[in-house]
Amino acid sequence: MRSLVAFIAVIVPLCVLVFLAASDFFTAWYGTAVSVFPARTEDPSSYEVLIVEPSSEDGFIRRWPANVVRKLNLPNDEFRIVPNEPDAVLPETRKERFSLSFVIEPDEGDAITLPTTSPAAFGLTVLAFVLGIFGRNMIVSGSPFSLEPRGVYLPKGQAASGQVAPSRGSRPRKGPPPQGRRKGRGRR
């Protein structure tokens, strides 16, 4: 049981790192939201938004809630083409490193602060924890559901290392085996 507690003490910080990485905790950006990729369903819960930073020629994509994207009136872009010069009316967005939220500053209206965490990031963290526990159990006991190592079961005729194997007689005797009667003719 001690090895299980030690393993959990190691895997929990690793799962926290998985959650933080999946929630963009270690990334930062400052750019302009230039377009939105059209949804494939009638009423989506989120959209993929193309963001372009002034220092970069390439854009990157983040998933934003649908109700916020509808308020921003971003143009649809099926091909995700990065424009040479973004329009001045497009909303600015920024995220500080080591934070779990980002800010959208539309041309008109108040700034919107949104979290970067999501149920998908939490689900990925739980999956990493469960797979880690199952992997540990497979290594230790040979079964993903058994927490303790199983004892070694030896066949009947085999003894554990360092012990005398059981004999076939009723009970083992000390000393050399008895001399059997010789067959054949004796000496003259």
Side-chain angles (χ1 to χ4, degrees), residues 79-160:
F79 303 106
R80 300 179 186 179
I81 298 172
V82 178
N84 292 336
E85 282 293 318
D87 292 339
V89 295
L90 293 174
E92 301 274 324
T93 177
R94 63 182 154 75
K95 183 197 171 296
E96 303 296 327
R97 193 175 311 275
F98 309 122
S99 70
L100 290 174
S101 64
F102 65 97
V103 177
I104 303 170
E105 298 170 348
D107 191 39
E108 298 174 358
D110 296 332
I112 303 166
T113 303
L114 295 172
T116 57
T117 58
S118 67
F122 182 71
L124 182 64
T125 304
V126 170
L127 180 67
F129 181 78
V130 169
L131 289 178
I133 292 291
F134 280 179
R136 178 250 175 219
N137 291 347
M138 286 294 292
I139 291 169
V140 170
S141 66
S143 169
F145 302 106
S146 178
L147 298 177
E148 293 295 321
R150 293 183 184 169
V152 178
Y153 300 106
L154 300 173
K156 274 187 169 181
Q158 188 175 1

Side-chain angles (χ1 to χ4, degrees), residues 24 29 31-36 44-52 60-70 72 74 91-95 102-106 112 114-116:
D24 283 338
W29 70 73
T32 304
V34 293
S35 63
V36 62
S45 61
S46 63
Y47 287 99
E48 291 180 347
V49 177
L50 179 64
I51 301 170
V52 177
F60 60 93
I61 296 172
R62 289 293 180 264
R63 189 166 284 280
W64 288 0
N67 58 351
V68 173
V69 173
R70 287 185 194 115
L72 297 175
L74 293 172
E92 301 274 324
T93 177
R94 63 182 154 75
K95 183 197 171 296
F102 65 97
V103 177
I104 303 170
E105 298 170 348
I112 303 166
L114 295 172
T116 57

Side-chain angles (χ1 to χ4, degrees), residues 19-31:
F19 177 76
L20 293 175
S23 298
D24 283 338
F25 183 74
F26 302 107
T27 59
W29 70 73
Y30 178 77

